[in-house]
């Protein structure tokens, strides 16, 4: 059973960089043909795909967030990390990490086979 767990600060000040880590257990992030994604849900809104890192380390980003987003991984710890720069209150959301078979960009819950519980991030001074 694959499990994903997000970790990071719950409160970030405007203009700072948000950094979140997803720790994966029960499966390797280097297993062929799986992509590992960050998805968020702002209050009262739908899911927003932010970006993905593949089993081989390639990355894909949402065009609307690409200039502020970076996803990296630490294979020795079986973790992948999101960095979002220059945050504003509009970045307030629940942030999820999730796994999918070879696929990126989806906002459909069912396209992902495993999800983390989500972590609430508030951007406020």
């Amino acid at each position: 059973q694959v499990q994903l767990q997000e970790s990071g600060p719950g409160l970030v000040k405007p203009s700072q960089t948000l950094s979140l880590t997803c720790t994966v257990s029960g499966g390797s992030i280097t297993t062929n043909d799986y992509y590992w994604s960050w998805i968020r849900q702002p209050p009262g809104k739908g899911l927003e795909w932010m970006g993905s890192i593949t089993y081989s380390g390639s990355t894909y980003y949402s065009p609307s967030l690409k200039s502020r987003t970076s996803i990296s991984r630490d294979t020795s710890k079986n973790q992948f990390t999101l960095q979002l720069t220059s945050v504003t209150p509009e970045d307030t959301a629940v942030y999820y990490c999730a796994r999918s078979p070879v696929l990126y960009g989806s906002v459909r819950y069912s396209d992902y086979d495993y999800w983390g519980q989500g972590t609430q991030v508030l951007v406020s001074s």
Side-chain angles (χ1 to χ4, degrees):
Q1 178 80 359
V2 176
Q3 293 184 316
L4 295 87
Q5 179 66 58
E6 305 89 351
S7 59
L11 178 64
V12 184
K13 293 183 178 180
S15 81
Q16 290 187 339
T17 295
L18 169 65
S19 184
L20 297 174
T21 296
C22 183
T23 301
V24 179
S25 59
S28 172
I29 62 172
T30 61
T31 298
N32 280 359
D33 300 335
Y34 285 107
Y35 288 14
W36 305 87
S37 299
W38 286 99
I39 299 147
R40 68 182 182 179
Q41 185 167 27
K45 297 184 179 180
L47 296 174
E48 179 183 18
W49 173 75
M50 301 182 70
S52 303
I53 187 164
T54 73
Y55 57 94
S56 62
S58 298
T59 52
Y60 300 91
Y61 298 108
S62 166
S64 65
L65 295 170
K66 186 174 183 178
S67 64
R68 298 195 292 130
T69 305
S70 177
I71 298 175
S72 59
R73 66 179 185 171
D74 185 335
T75 57
S76 68
K77 296 181 180 179
N78 216 33
Q79 295 175 333
F80 61 106
T81 298
L82 169 74
Q83 287 200 317
L84 182 67
T85 63
S86 304
V87 297
T88 72
E90 286 68 40
D91 294 310
T92 293
V94 178
Y95 286 74
Y96 299 93
C97 55
R99 189 188 84 164
S100 63
V102 178
L103 175 71
Y104 68 89
S106 175
V107 294
R108 256 191 340 198
Y109 186 87
S110 60
D111 282 337
Y112 300 87
D113 55 1
Y114 291 101
W115 289 77
Q117 291 183 324
T119 186
Q120 174 71 56
V121 175
L122 174 66
V123 179
S124 175
S125 55

